[in-house]
Amino acid sequence: QKEVEQNSGPLSVPEGAIASLNCTYSDRVSQSFFWYRQYSGKSPELIMSIYSNGDKEDGRFTAQLNKASQYVSLLIRDSQPSDSATYLCAVYNTDKLIFGTGTRLQVFP
Amino acid sequence: SAVISQKPSRDICQRGTSLTIQCQVDSQVTMMFWYRQQPGQSLTLIATANQGSEATYESGFVIDKFPISRPNLTFSTLTVSNMSPEDSSIYLCSAEDDGNTIYFGEGSWLTVV
């Protein structure tokens, strides 16, 4: 079992819709969780971090964490074509950050 | 957040040669890391660059192939030794801030021919 799992996609949503990206992790003791966005040809850019169960909102982005289910998600409201990118879930575990394989999001006009 | 500069940003290298990538952070950081991203893949941690001591390598990566230096709290280098086409990748330097958040440099895009 991979340490951090994501559906590779692509996830296609129309402009203005909510995009929902999901991630599961295997190590129960993980405490810190991150979402990065990576445009083609660019390095990863941090979008959100979350440490406690529940929701954390930042603008159009909402991160959700459920430690009991070992599940973290990212919601993007009012999706824009500029949101089209690969979204990487990352889990901080014993002094290192482990990445999922990423989900490719396509937002079409 | 930390601002991380890497160079070279891009290079084409001959097989059998070695290339050193430099990483400079704009503030002192405790933890620095080197990742590799092969074409179409996610990020894989190569090693943690430890200041004043040998780097800590992940499974599948060895010091002879990827020697790393960390002479101070703002600078690190990664050398890719005896390169083969399989080493064609993006190499990413990263640093962790006081809040356990990891930021990335812009990456070094290596093509081995």
Short mmCIF file of all heavy atoms in Angstrom, two decimals, chain B residues 3-46:
data_model
loop_
_atom_site.label_atom_id
_atom_site.label_comp_id
_atom_site.label_asym_id
_atom_site.label_seq_id
_atom_site.Cartn_x
_atom_site.Cartn_y
_atom_site.Cartn_z
N VAL B 3 12.25 31.85 0.45
CA VAL B 3 12.45 31.98 -1.00
C VAL B 3 13.69 31.17 -1.36
O VAL B 3 14.76 31.36 -0.77
CB VAL B 3 12.62 33.45 -1.42
CG1 VAL B 3 12.90 33.53 -2.90
CG2 VAL B 3 11.37 34.25 -1.06
N ILE B 4 13.51 30.28 -2.31
CA ILE B 4 14.58 29.32 -2.64
C ILE B 4 15.00 29.51 -4.07
O ILE B 4 14.16 29.51 -4.99
CB ILE B 4 14.07 27.89 -2.43
CG1 ILE B 4 13.60 27.71 -0.98
CG2 ILE B 4 15.17 26.88 -2.75
CD1 ILE B 4 12.86 26.41 -0.73
N SER B 5 16.30 29.67 -4.28
CA SER B 5 16.86 29.84 -5.63
C SER B 5 17.71 28.64 -5.97
O SER B 5 18.53 28.20 -5.15
CB SER B 5 17.72 31.11 -5.68
OG SER B 5 16.97 32.23 -5.29
N GLN B 6 17.50 28.14 -7.17
CA GLN B 6 18.28 27.00 -7.65
C GLN B 6 18.99 27.37 -8.93
O GLN B 6 18.45 28.10 -9.76
CB GLN B 6 17.35 25.82 -7.98
CG GLN B 6 17.05 24.90 -6.85
CD GLN B 6 16.25 23.70 -7.29
OE1 GLN B 6 15.08 23.58 -6.91
NE2 GLN B 6 16.85 22.81 -8.07
N LYS B 7 20.17 26.81 -9.12
CA LYS B 7 20.82 26.91 -10.41
C LYS B 7 21.71 25.71 -10.64
O LYS B 7 22.26 25.15 -9.68
CB LYS B 7 21.61 28.22 -10.54
CG LYS B 7 22.70 28.43 -9.54
CD LYS B 7 23.37 29.78 -9.80
CE LYS B 7 24.49 30.02 -8.83
NZ LYS B 7 25.14 31.34 -9.03
N PRO B 8 21.81 25.23 -11.90
CA PRO B 8 21.17 25.82 -13.07
C PRO B 8 19.68 25.52 -13.10
O PRO B 8 19.22 24.58 -12.46
CB PRO B 8 21.88 25.11 -14.22
CG PRO B 8 22.21 23.76 -13.68
CD PRO B 8 22.55 23.99 -12.23
N SER B 9 18.93 26.31 -13.82
CA SER B 9 17.51 26.04 -13.95
C SER B 9 17.26 24.94 -14.98
O SER B 9 16.25 24.24 -14.92
CB SER B 9 16.77 27.32 -14.37
OG SER B 9 17.30 27.82 -15.57
N ARG B 10 18.19 24.82 -15.90
CA ARG B 10 18.02 23.83 -16.97
C ARG B 10 19.38 23.50 -17.54
O ARG B 10 20.25 24.39 -17.61
CB ARG B 10 17.11 24.42 -18.05
CG ARG B 10 16.51 23.47 -19.03
CD ARG B 10 15.54 24.21 -19.94
NE ARG B 10 14.37 24.69 -19.23
CZ ARG B 10 13.25 24.01 -19.08
NH1 ARG B 10 13.16 22.80 -19.56
NH2 ARG B 10 12.24 24.55 -18.44
N ASP B 11 19.59 22.24 -17.90
CA ASP B 11 20.86 21.87 -18.52
C ASP B 11 20.70 20.60 -19.33
O ASP B 11 19.84 19.75 -19.02
CB ASP B 11 21.94 21.66 -17.46
CG ASP B 11 23.33 21.98 -17.97
OD1 ASP B 11 23.52 21.98 -19.21
OD2 ASP B 11 24.23 22.22 -17.14
N ILE B 12 21.51 20.50 -20.36
CA ILE B 12 21.61 19.27 -21.15
C ILE B 12 23.01 18.73 -20.92
O ILE B 12 24.00 19.45 -21.12
CB ILE B 12 21.35 19.55 -22.64
CG1 ILE B 12 19.94 20.10 -22.84
CG2 ILE B 12 21.55 18.28 -23.46
CD1 ILE B 12 19.64 20.55 -24.27
N CYS B 13 23.08 17.47 -20.48
CA CYS B 13 24.37 16.92 -20.07
C CYS B 13 24.69 15.66 -20.87
O CYS B 13 23.78 14.93 -21.28
CB CYS B 13 24.34 16.56 -18.58
SG CYS B 13 23.84 17.92 -17.51
N GLN B 14 25.97 15.43 -21.05
CA GLN B 14 26.42 14.21 -21.71
C GLN B 14 26.43 13.06 -20.71
O GLN B 14 26.77 13.24 -19.54
CB GLN B 14 27.82 14.42 -22.27
CG GLN B 14 27.91 15.49 -23.35
CD GLN B 14 27.16 15.09 -24.61
OE1 GLN B 14 27.20 13.93 -25.03
NE2 GLN B 14 26.45 16.04 -25.21
N ARG B 15 26.07 11.88 -21.18
CA ARG B 15 26.12 10.72 -20.28
C ARG B 15 27.53 10.50 -19.79
O ARG B 15 28.50 10.76 -20.50
CB ARG B 15 25.56 9.48 -20.96
CG ARG B 15 26.42 8.83 -22.01
CD ARG B 15 25.79 7.55 -22.50
NE ARG B 15 24.52 7.77 -23.17
CZ ARG B 15 23.60 6.83 -23.37
NH1 ARG B 15 23.80 5.61 -22.90
NH2 ARG B 15 22.50 7.10 -24.01
N GLY B 16 27.64 10.05 -18.54
CA GLY B 16 28.94 9.81 -17.94
C GLY B 16 29.52 11.01 -17.19
O GLY B 16 30.48 10.85 -16.43
N THR B 17 28.94 12.17 -17.40
CA THR B 17 29.42 13.37 -16.71
C THR B 17 28.65 13.57 -15.41
O THR B 17 27.69 12.86 -15.11
CB THR B 17 29.28 14.62 -17.59
OG1 THR B 17 27.90 14.84 -17.86
CG2 THR B 17 30.05 14.44 -18.90
N SER B 18 29.08 14.55 -14.64
CA SER B 18 28.43 14.89 -13.37
C SER B 18 28.02 16.35 -13.39
O SER B 18 28.66 17.17 -14.05
CB SER B 18 29.38 14.63 -12.20
OG SER B 18 29.75 13.27 -12.14
N LEU B 19 26.97 16.65 -12.67
CA LEU B 19 26.48 18.03 -12.60
C LEU B 19 26.13 18.35 -11.16
O LEU B 19 25.49 17.55 -10.47
CB LEU B 19 25.25 18.21 -13.47
CG LEU B 19 24.67 19.63 -13.48
CD1 LEU B 19 25.53 20.53 -14.35
CD2 LEU B 19 23.24 19.65 -13.97
N THR B 20 26.53 19.54 -10.72
CA THR B 20 26.20 19.99 -9.36
C THR B 20 25.15 21.08 -9.43
O THR B 20 25.29 22.06 -10.17
CB THR B 20 27.45 20.50 -8.64
OG1 THR B 20 28.38 19.42 -8.47
CG2 THR B 20 27.09 21.05 -7.26
N ILE B 21 24.10 20.88 -8.65
CA ILE B 21 22.99 21.83 -8.56
C ILE B 21 23.12 22.58 -7.23
O ILE B 21 23.35 21.97 -6.18
CB ILE B 21 21.63 21.10 -8.60
CG1 ILE B 21 21.53 20.29 -9.88
CG2 ILE B 21 20.49 22.11 -8.50
CD1 ILE B 21 20.37 19.29 -9.87
N GLN B 22 22.99 23.89 -7.31
CA GLN B 22 23.12 24.71 -6.11
C GLN B 22 21.76 25.21 -5.65
O GLN B 22 20.89 25.52 -6.47
CB GLN B 22 24.02 25.91 -6.39
CG GLN B 22 25.43 25.52 -6.76
CD GLN B 22 26.30 26.75 -7.02
OE1 GLN B 22 25.90 27.89 -6.79
NE2 GLN B 22 27.52 26.50 -7.47
N CYS B 23 21.59 25.31 -4.36
CA CYS B 23 20.34 25.76 -3.76
C CYS B 23 20.63 26.79 -2.66
O CYS B 23 21.38 26.48 -1.73
CB CYS B 23 19.58 24.57 -3.20
SG CYS B 23 18.04 24.99 -2.37
N GLN B 24 20.04 27.95 -2.80
CA GLN B 24 20.25 29.04 -1.85
C GLN B 24 18.90 29.46 -1.26
O GLN B 24 17.96 29.74 -2.01
CB GLN B 24 20.91 30.23 -2.53
CG GLN B 24 21.17 31.41 -1.63
CD GLN B 24 22.33 31.17 -0.68
OE1 GLN B 24 23.43 30.82 -1.11
NE2 GLN B 24 22.12 31.36 0.61
N VAL B 25 18.83 29.52 0.07
CA VAL B 25 17.60 29.96 0.74
C VAL B 25 17.83 31.36 1.30
O VAL B 25 18.94 31.68 1.75
CB VAL B 25 17.21 28.99 1.88
CG1 VAL B 25 15.85 29.34 2.45
CG2 VAL B 25 17.20 27.55 1.37
N ASP B 26 16.78 32.18 1.30
CA ASP B 26 16.96 33.57 1.71
C ASP B 26 16.95 33.76 3.22
O ASP B 26 17.08 34.88 3.72
CB ASP B 26 15.89 34.46 1.07
CG ASP B 26 14.50 34.19 1.63
OD1 ASP B 26 14.27 33.11 2.22
OD2 ASP B 26 13.62 35.05 1.45
N SER B 27 16.81 32.68 3.98
CA SER B 27 16.84 32.76 5.43
C SER B 27 17.40 31.44 5.98
O SER B 27 17.44 30.44 5.26
CB SER B 27 15.44 33.01 5.99
OG SER B 27 14.56 31.98 5.59
N GLN B 28 17.82 31.48 7.21
CA GLN B 28 18.36 30.26 7.81
C GLN B 28 17.22 29.26 8.07
O GLN B 28 16.19 29.62 8.64
CB GLN B 28 19.08 30.59 9.11
CG GLN B 28 20.36 31.38 8.90
CD GLN B 28 21.15 31.56 10.18
OE1 GLN B 28 20.63 31.39 11.28
NE2 GLN B 28 22.42 31.88 10.05
N VAL B 29 17.43 28.05 7.65
CA VAL B 29 16.43 27.00 7.83
C VAL B 29 17.11 25.77 8.41
O VAL B 29 18.28 25.50 8.11
CB VAL B 29 15.73 26.63 6.50
CG1 VAL B 29 14.85 27.77 6.01
CG2 VAL B 29 16.73 26.23 5.43
N THR B 30 16.38 25.04 9.20
CA THR B 30 16.95 23.85 9.80
C THR B 30 17.02 22.70 8.80
O THR B 30 18.02 22.02 8.69
CB THR B 30 16.13 23.43 11.03
OG1 THR B 30 16.06 24.52 11.94
CG2 THR B 30 16.77 22.24 11.72
N MET B 31 15.90 22.52 8.11
CA MET B 31 15.80 21.35 7.24
C MET B 31 15.81 21.77 5.77
O MET B 31 15.09 22.68 5.36
CB MET B 31 14.50 20.58 7.53
CG MET B 31 14.30 20.19 8.99
SD MET B 31 15.44 18.93 9.51
CE MET B 31 14.62 17.48 8.83
N MET B 32 16.63 21.06 5.00
CA MET B 32 16.61 21.19 3.54
C MET B 32 16.53 19.80 2.94
O MET B 32 17.09 18.84 3.50
CB MET B 32 17.86 21.92 3.04
CG MET B 32 17.91 23.39 3.43
SD MET B 32 19.35 24.24 2.78
CE MET B 32 18.94 24.36 1.03
N PHE B 33 15.84 19.71 1.83
CA PHE B 33 15.59 18.41 1.20
C PHE B 33 15.85 18.51 -0.30
O PHE B 33 15.69 19.58 -0.89
CB PHE B 33 14.13 17.96 1.41
CG PHE B 33 13.67 17.97 2.83
CD1 PHE B 33 13.10 19.10 3.38
CD2 PHE B 33 13.77 16.84 3.61
CE1 PHE B 33 12.64 19.12 4.68
CE2 PHE B 33 13.33 16.83 4.92
CZ PHE B 33 12.76 17.98 5.46
N TRP B 34 16.16 17.37 -0.88
CA TRP B 34 16.27 17.26 -2.32
C TRP B 34 15.28 16.21 -2.82
O TRP B 34 15.24 15.08 -2.30
CB TRP B 34 17.69 16.87 -2.74
CG TRP B 34 18.65 17.99 -2.57
CD1 TRP B 34 19.50 18.23 -1.52
CD2 TRP B 34 18.90 19.06 -3.51
NE1 TRP B 34 20.24 19.36 -1.74
CE2 TRP B 34 19.89 19.89 -2.95
CE3 TRP B 34 18.37 19.38 -4.75
CZ2 TRP B 34 20.37 21.03 -3.60
CZ3 TRP B 34 18.84 20.51 -5.40
CH2 TRP B 34 19.84 21.31 -4.83
N TYR B 35 14.49 16.61 -3.82
CA TYR B 35 13.52 15.71 -4.43
C TYR B 35 13.84 15.53 -5.90
O TYR B 35 14.48 16.39 -6.53
CB TYR B 35 12.10 16.30 -4.33
CG TYR B 35 11.46 16.21 -2.97
CD1 TYR B 35 11.73 17.16 -1.98
CD2 TYR B 35 10.55 15.19 -2.67
CE1 TYR B 35 11.12 17.08 -0.73
CE2 TYR B 35 9.94 15.12 -1.42
CZ TYR B 35 10.24 16.06 -0.47
OH TYR B 35 9.64 15.98 0.77
N ARG B 36 13.37 14.44 -6.44
CA ARG B 36 13.43 14.21 -7.87
C ARG B 36 12.02 13.99 -8.40
O ARG B 36 11.19 13.34 -7.74
CB ARG B 36 14.28 12.97 -8.17
CG ARG B 36 14.42 12.64 -9.64
CD ARG B 36 15.37 11.48 -9.86
NE ARG B 36 14.78 10.20 -9.48
CZ ARG B 36 15.43 9.04 -9.59
NH1 ARG B 36 16.67 9.02 -10.03
NH2 ARG B 36 14.84 7.93 -9.23
N GLN B 37 11.76 14.54 -9.57
CA GLN B 37 10.48 14.32 -10.24
C GLN B 37 10.76 13.86 -11.66
O GLN B 37 11.15 14.66 -12.52
CB GLN B 37 9.61 15.56 -10.22
CG GLN B 37 8.20 15.30 -10.74
CD GLN B 37 7.28 16.50 -10.58
OE1 GLN B 37 7.73 17.65 -10.62
NE2 GLN B 37 5.99 16.24 -10.39
N GLN B 38 10.59 12.59 -11.91
CA GLN B 38 10.79 12.04 -13.25
C GLN B 38 9.58 12.38 -14.11
O GLN B 38 8.49 12.66 -13.59
CB GLN B 38 11.06 10.55 -13.15
CG GLN B 38 12.38 10.26 -12.43
CD GLN B 38 12.68 8.79 -12.28
OE1 GLN B 38 11.90 8.04 -11.70
NE2 GLN B 38 13.82 8.38 -12.81
N PRO B 39 9.77 12.36 -15.42
CA PRO B 39 8.69 12.79 -16.32
C PRO B 39 7.37 12.08 -16.05
O PRO B 39 7.32 10.85 -15.97
CB PRO B 39 9.25 12.41 -17.70
CG PRO B 39 10.73 12.47 -17.55
CD PRO B 39 11.00 12.00 -16.14
N GLY B 40 6.33 12.85 -15.84
CA GLY B 40 5.00 12.30 -15.60
C GLY B 40 4.80 11.69 -14.24
O GLY B 40 3.75 11.09 -13.99
N GLN B 41 5.75 11.85 -13.36
CA GLN B 41 5.67 11.22 -12.04
C GLN B 41 5.54 12.27 -10.94
O GLN B 41 5.67 13.47 -11.18
CB GLN B 41 6.93 10.38 -11.77
CG GLN B 41 7.21 9.32 -12.83
CD GLN B 41 6.14 8.27 -12.87
OE1 GLN B 41 5.70 7.75 -11.84
NE2 GLN B 41 5.67 7.96 -14.07
N SER B 42 5.30 11.77 -9.73
CA SER B 42 5.24 12.67 -8.59
C SER B 42 6.64 12.88 -8.01
O SER B 42 7.63 12.44 -8.60
CB SER B 42 4.31 12.10 -7.53
OG SER B 42 4.09 13.04 -6.49
N LEU B 43 6.71 13.54 -6.88
CA LEU B 43 7.99 13.86 -6.27
C LEU B 43 8.47 12.71 -5.39
O LEU B 43 7.70 12.17 -4.59
CB LEU B 43 7.86 15.12 -5.42
CG LEU B 43 7.86 16.45 -6.16
CD1 LEU B 43 6.55 16.67 -6.90
CD2 LEU B 43 8.11 17.59 -5.19
N THR B 44 9.74 12.39 -5.54
CA THR B 44 10.36 11.37 -4.71
C THR B 44 11.50 12.00 -3.92
O THR B 44 12.36 12.66 -4.51
CB THR B 44 10.91 10.22 -5.58
OG1 THR B 44 9.84 9.64 -6.34
CG2 THR B 44 11.55 9.15 -4.71
N LEU B 45 11.50 11.78 -2.64
CA LEU B 45 12.56 12.34 -1.79
C LEU B 45 13.85 11.58 -2.01
O LEU B 45 13.88 10.35 -1.91
CB LEU B 45 12.14 12.26 -0.33
CG LEU B 45 13.12 12.82 0.70
CD1 LEU B 45 13.32 14.33 0.50
CD2 LEU B 45 12.63 12.54 2.12
N ILE B 46 14.91 12.33 -2.34
CA ILE B 46 16.23 11.73 -2.49
C ILE B 46 16.92 11.66 -1.13
O ILE B 46 17.39 10.60 -0.70
CB ILE B 46 17.11 12.56 -3.46
CG1 ILE B 46 16.51 12.58 -4.85
CG2 ILE B 46 18.54 12.03 -3.47
CD1 ILE B 46 17.21 13.54 -5.82
#
